[in-house]
Structures are given as structure tokens and as C-alpha cells.
Amino acid sequence: RIFSLSQHRRIGWIALYLAATHAVWLLAAQPLIGHYLLPSAPLYMLCGLAAFIALAILVATGIRARITAHAALAALLLALLGAHIIGSGQMIDRPAKVITTCALLGLAVFGSVWRRGIVRSRARSLWTLIPSCIALVVLALLPTPTGRSLLLYPAMVPPLVEVHFPHEKHTAVNCITCHHNFADKTGLDNCLDCHRSARRDLPQPAEVTFHVFCRDCHREFARLGEDKHGPVRECSGCHVRTGAVPR
């Protein structure tokens, strides 16, 4: 209602160009991301890929698509976009930002569903209401700690990726913070022996455990304004190619 049909179509193309630019720039700036793509990518990456495909379909079909299909796909697009943003953790470093982002996306879904004239029959309404309700539930669960950690789960168990961890730069951190198994006597071997085992008390994969543990710690130092807080936005800060060591 705010924009004309031609303006709406133009905004869609602009959004698609920006999404494509984001993907190209990210792959160019962080070539190591290619190492984590399908099939071992975390779920938030897959959500971003699915959101890009949904946006491309919306822009390509335009007014030729049925209004119910268009509305349903738009609602799912917003849910996928929210999952991608929240899961990546980029620019969303505080709970208030996470909740605000999900609330705004949820309002967009809610407004499109209940807009007058979008649904004309009960049978057709289900094709709009069901995907939209799913999108609203997803956006409501994303701000929870469980919802955010689930987005870091890999689609499949990926191979081990080399990690550079300079101990000399972490002398301010108590050793037991990471090597807790030496203190609680749960093990004296490599951390992966437990965090990649079938133990039921360690349900999270190693990738989820360490990404949350390391990233959140670095992000907290960055939020406090510390100059030396470690990488928070680039894969190459921790993950390295064979034989390479980051400066």
C-alpha cells in the first residue's frame, strides 16, 4: 500500500542485488568460508542461502505468482533472513538487538498476513496462514539461547578444520576455563575426545561448543572496548590453511 507496483518491483531487484553483492564480497574477503559450505555448513549459512533463493524467486515471479504463494514465500523469507542474521552473530552482539531485529521481522510478517484483501477464501488462506505462523514461531524462538545455538549446528559432521590458538595471547585467561577436564577429572586427553564423542551429557557438537565459547568471549571484550579482543568477524582469525599462520 505504501509503494506502487513498479516501486515494489524495483525495491525487490535492489534487495536482490544487495544480497548478491553481500555474498560475493564475503567470499572474496573471506575465502575460507568456501571451506565450510555445503554439506557441512552451519544451519545459519544454509538459511542465508535459502533466503537468497527465496528472494530471487519472489523477484523473478513478481505479479505472475499467486498472491497466496507470494505472501507465504515472503513470510518464510523473513524467517530465514532472521535466522541467518541471528546465527551469524554479525552486528547483533546484544540481546536487545536480537529481540528488536526479530520483533521487526515478525511485525512485517504479521502485517502482510492480516492485510485486508490478501486472502479471499478459507482454503486459500491456509496457504498463507500456515507458512506465516511458522515464520512467526521461528522469529519468536530465535532470541532464546537454545535457538541461537541450534543455528550453529552443522548440517553434517564436518572434517576437522585447522585452528590457530596462540596460548601466549591468552595468558590472562585461567587455564581451567578451557582445560576444565584437568580440574574436574573428566579426562586428561584432547578436548575433541569428549566433545566429538557419543557422550549424552555433551549434546552439542564440538563446532557449536567452541564457536559459542570463543566468539562470545571475544565479543564481550570488544563490547567492553578492549583494544586486544581477538577476531570476532572473520574466519581467518582462527581458522588457517595448511602451513599458514595468521599474524
Side-chain angles (χ1 to χ4, degrees):
R1 292 182 176 184
I2 298 176
F3 302 103
S4 65
L5 190 60
S6 61
Q7 290 174 326
H8 189 75
R9 185 186 298 110
R10 190 176 298 114
I11 291 174
W13 279 108
I14 292 174
L16 185 59
Y17 288 142
L18 290 175
T21 302
H22 164 68
V24 172
W25 177 84
L26 195 61
L27 289 173
Q30 294 292 327
L32 277 175
I33 290 179
H35 193 82
Y36 309 108
L37 292 179
L38 298 172
S40 61
L43 292 180
Y44 80 85
M45 280 191 179
L46 301 182
C47 289
L49 178 60
F52 180 80
I53 294 173
L55 178 60
I57 295 174
L58 284 170
V59 173
T61 56
I63 60 174
R64 296 191 301 274
R66 292 183 179 182
I67 187 66
T68 52
H70 190 86
L73 192 57
L76 294 178
L77 165 64
L78 293 175
L80 292 169
L81 183 62
H84 180 64
I85 295 174
I86 303 305
S88 67
Q90 303 300 320
M91 311 303 294
I92 306 291
D93 55 351
R94 299 183 184 182
K97 293 181 180 180
V98 176
I99 295 173
T100 301
T101 299
C102 293
L104 291 175
L105 293 171
L107 285 175
V109 175
F110 184 81
S112 66
V113 172
W114 297 107
R115 190 178 65 182
R116 185 177 300 175
I118 197 171
V119 178
R120 298 180 181 178
S121 68
R122 183 177 299 177
R124 292 177 61 188
S125 67
L126 293 177
W127 292 100
T128 301
L129 290 177
I130 293 177
S132 299
C133 290
I134 294 175
L136 289 173
V137 171
V138 169
L139 291 171
L141 295 177
L142 284 179
T144 63
T146 302
R148 297 185 69 182
S149 64
L150 286 176
L151 293 171
L152 292 173
Y153 274 69
M156 297 178 63
V157 178
L160 292 177
V161 181
E162 292 189 52
V163 177
H164 175 70
F165 185 85
H167 281 80
E168 66 276 5
K169 294 183 179 180
H170 293 80
T171 54
V173 181
N174 192 318
C175 299
I176 299 177
T177 303
C178 301
H179 300 282
H180 64 88
N181 55 324
F182 285 83
D184 56 24
K185 307 300 182 181
T186 57
L188 298 175
D189 297 322
N190 189 288
C191 52
L192 292 177
D193 293 337
C194 286
H195 287 279
R196 266 208 169 187
S197 65
R199 286 178 51 174
R200 294 184 178 181
D201 58 332
L202 297 174
Q204 288 187 342
E207 289 74 20
V208 179
T209 302
F210 297 135
H211 275 137
V212 172
F213 182 73
C214 301
R215 190 179 67 177
D216 288 357
C217 184
H218 289 173
R219 185 177 295 149
E220 180 63 19
F221 278 102
R223 188 181 68 83
L224 295 175
E226 298 287 343
D227 294 332
K228 298 180 180 180
H229 53 70
V232 292
R233 293 184 181 175
E234 66 274 1
C235 301
S236 58
C238 295
H239 295 288
V240 297
R241 295 183 182 277
T242 304
V245 177
R247 295 180 180 180

